[in-house]
Structure formats: structure tokens, C-alpha cells
Amino acid sequence: MKYFSTRDKKLDYDFKSIFVRGLSPDGGLFVPKNIVKFSNENLHHLSKLNYFDLATEIIYFFCKENFSKEKVNKIVKKSYSNFFSENVVSIKKFEEITLLELYHGPTLAFKDIAMQVIGNLYSEIEIVKNKVINIVVATSGDTGSAAISALNNKKNINVFVLHPHNKISKNQRKIMTTIGSDNIFNLAIEGNFDECQKIVKEMFADDKFRERINMSGVNSINWARIICQVVYYFYCYFKLSKKTNFSVPTGNFGDIYAGYIAKQMGLPMGKLIVATNKNDILSRVINSGSYKPNEVKSTLTPSMDIQIASNFERLLFDISNQNDERVNVLMKDLKDKGSFDLNSSERKTILESFTAVAVDDTETIRVIRDFFNNFGFVLDPHTATAVRASYNVKNDLPTVVLGTAHPYKFADTIKMAINKDVVAPEQIASLPDKKEKFDIVDRDLKKVKNYILEKTK
Ligand SMILES: *Cc1c(COP(=O)(O)O)cnc(C)c1O
């Protein structure tokens, strides 16, 4: 499989190069040149596999030139050895809703599923064997801890995590700031997530700086994250052996885009339901065609407090029939005018696969409360938005809701909703006693660069 960029189809990279680079030099996102659909025979074969072997087949499909299947299998098994669910994920039924729990990894969010694999992929790459690389990552709360857990104590790797100061939950911050050792640096940026992400993107676009520190990235703009997330859509379909909708709590459009890729690969599915919170840029663009970022508002679902959904660019590229010029025009509009507009045929194409629903905090709380009263089960607030969004779709297909985080991460919100304390899961039972480690840094590109240079001297 070869890769090019959403903004430049002349590029030609293999998996390893795009994995290490993360973001394309033209500011676009890396995408595979063409995805071949699995045949029915292939699908039948895949349906018999356990999670580890299925993950091996799917990941291998995207990186054949660089890794043997045996190697991928070894990486997968190692990556999921510290999960608290036998098959990595777990499926539960609550009347018409099926919940796909993705949060049994070491940091209690679905991001562990891709990040653990990424951590082990780095160790397999020669450049990392010979020189130190610096991974810089922005987080809206869960990516940071997942990256730290995956890369902690890895040889020749430093990790710099930028999170928005005071804009993530206390337990999210604690998980992130207590598990790291000497190669991990937490920066609490005086700003919101979009501003953290912007700083990271600007550093990627600065060739001199990027090369000086051997910079690499693990945000969901990294294609390797997407392919690891494709796996559980297939797994769930095979387990249920029926066509369903998938409702996904969405921020940066990475997780749901993985579902779209699964569909491209031949997985039968109904609608992909984009659940957003009040930061509803995605539900606005899908329902009206206008992509216009607003101010980021803080909500009870902080991991979705995002107004610039980076992975949406990949969808734009797909629905315009891989038209890099069109993507460049839209991205230029976004930069110059602060927004862009899709034409009606582009919108129509999106609506064939997606619907989108924005859910506010009041409704989120109500869903957590009702779900607990009906089923005795506690949803995390992000997952609750997707449960709520699923009620809007009536197409006779059952819906799978992606459970993206364990409710313990948002214990204060749960307390508010149902007046109960969430018991800390095994993974992090000792959390409250550990010492936190982070530095508060201004929202300023230069200051962040200097911080990194200082620490890597
Ligand atoms: C990151 C995250 C999301 C959003 O996922 P995207 O891939 O950014 O759309 C939703 N819920 C939780 C709990 C998250 O950590």
C-alpha cells in the first residue's frame, strides 16, 4: 500500500514514512492511494478470527511492504496483553442498543486500542533504534494518557503532551500526569484544545524545527491510529452477524472515520451517526454544508470540545473522488475566510453514509440518569451523547453505540447525574495517591518550542 496526501497526489510514501511523519509536509493528511474491498470470501475468512488475528489481518493489509504478518501479530498480541477484557473489547446489549465497550485498556479510553500498537510499532522502526525522536501530541483529555502509557520508558523516545489547562476532567488529568517517567513531559497550555492542536500543527509545518528535534506525532491525524480502529467495527459486525448503524461520540472525526474506512473495505453497515456536543461544527457541516469553526465551549464531554475536526479533511478528499485541488481550495477558504461551503453533490455523498446529531449537556445528563434507572448501567458522558444521537435515526436497523471511555474518568459528572460514586477500575486503583507532574506553559508557539528544546538539550 502506498500513500499520498489529501493536498498532493504526487507524493508517494510507504507506511513507515507516513507513520513516522504523521502529518504531510503540505499540511494535508496522509491517505492510502486506493483501498481494495475485501471479497465475500475474504470477509467469511475474517469472520472466524479472534480479535488478535483479525487485527493482524487488517493492520497488515495497510503495511505489507514494511512488516511481515508474523511481526504484526507479535506487535498486536504484545499491545493488548495489558487489557482487562479477554478480547480487547466487549459487547453488551440493552434492549435496542448494543454497546461496544472500547475502554478496557490501561487508561480507560478507546484511544488505548490504537496507541498501544503505535507504541510497539515505534520500537520496530530503525531510525528509532539509532536516534532519539520527540513525539509531540495535543490532547483533549484521553489521547495524552493513552500515548504516555504506550510510550512510557521506551528507549530513544521522548513524549511532549499538550493539554488545555483546567479544561479536562480531574481524573483525566491525574491519569495523564501520574503515569509518566523521565521521558514524558506534560504541558498544561493556557488555552483550549484547538489552540494546542494548532501549535502542534505549526511545529510540524516548520521543517527546520521538526528536523532539529526529530519530531513525530501520534494524534489521530496519524494514519496508524485509524487502521487500528477499523478493526473493532469488523469485529463487532462479525460477532453480531448483522448489519447495523454505528453511533460514535465524535471530536476530531478519527474514530468515526475509521468506521467509514471499514465500509470502504466492504463491511456492510447502515448509517454512521456522528454524535457531537455543543461544539457542533460536524453536525452543522453535515446538515447544512457550511464548515465554520466557532469558539470552543467547555462541556461535560471534554474529549469532544473541538471545533477543528482534522480528520474531516480525509472525508473531503474521498467524497470529491480524491480531488487534491478541491481540498486545497476548501482549506484555503478555511484559512482566509474562516469557513468553507460544500456543494450539494458533496453534501449528498456525505449524507449517504453519515447523519449527525448535536447533544447538549442537559440531554447528556438525562441520558446517563435514564440509562442507569432502566438498566443499572453507568455510561460515560461521551458514550451518552451517542446513545442520545442514536434515538434520532429510524431506519429499521439496530444501532451499535461505541463506548469510548470508562465513566470513572468523569466521576464528577456521574455524581451530578445519578448521585453515585464510580468505583475505580483495577487499572488505576492507586491513582489518588500518586504525585502529579506537569508544567503550565503559555499558549505561544515560541514558548512551547523553547520548552521542548530546553528539555531535549
Ligand atoms: C477522543 C475521544 C472522543 C472523540 O474521538 P475522535 O476520534 O476525536 O472523534 C470521544 N470520546 C472519548 C471518550 C474520547 O476520548
Side-chain angles (χ1 to χ4, degrees), residues 283-303:
S283 73
R284 279 183 288 118
V285 67
I286 292 170
N287 291 312
S288 80
S290 158
Y291 186 96
K292 189 172 196 306
N294 289 338
E295 271 295 294
V296 181
K297 299 173 208 96
S298 292
T299 70
L300 296 176
T301 44
S303 303

Side-chain angles (χ1 to χ4, degrees), residues 109-111 140 142 249-255 303-304 380 382 404-405:
F110 81 92
K111 300 204 167 78
S140 58
D142 293 324
T250 297
N252 224 345
F253 205 71
D255 206 11
S303 303
M304 294 151 62
D380 113 273
H382 303 77
T404 48

Side-chain angles (χ1 to χ4, degrees), residues 89-123:
V89 301
S90 144
I91 298 171
K92 293 201 172 96
K93 289 208 178 143
F94 302 95
E95 288 174 2
E96 71 271 30
I97 285 181
T98 301
L99 181 68
L100 174 59
E101 294 179 348
L102 304 173
Y103 48 76
H104 299 297
T107 72
L108 310 180
F110 81 92
K111 300 204 167 78
D112 286 324
I113 294 180
M115 210 63 90
Q116 290 291 323
V117 174
I118 285 185
N120 291 316
L121 274 174
Y122 271 111
S123 312

Side-chain angles (χ1 to χ4, degrees), residues 2 9 74 88 94 175 186 332 368 381 412 424:
K2 284 300 185 78
K9 282 169 76 174
K74 228 176 98 193
V88 183
F94 302 95
I175 294 173
N186 279 292
K332 190 165 183 306
I368 294 172
D412 295 345

Side-chain angles (χ1 to χ4, degrees), residues 290-344:
S290 158
Y291 186 96
K292 189 172 196 306
N294 289 338
E295 271 295 294
V296 181
K297 299 173 208 96
S298 292
T299 70
L300 296 176
T301 44
S303 303
M304 294 151 62
D305 288 349
I306 293 176
Q307 285 280 351
I308 307 207
S310 299
N311 282 291
F312 195 66
E313 182 170 336
R314 288 191 163 118
L315 183 68
L316 295 175
F317 183 72
D318 291 328
I319 56 147
S320 62
N321 294 317
Q322 301 199 322
N323 185 340
D324 52 351
E325 280 167 34
R326 175 68 178 152
V327 173
N328 274 303
V329 168
L330 295 177
M331 290 304 138
K332 190 165 183 306
D333 279 356
L334 182 62
K335 198 163 167 229
D336 297 348
K337 300 186 213 154
S339 69
F340 63 74
D341 289 300
L342 300 179
N343 63 37
S344 60

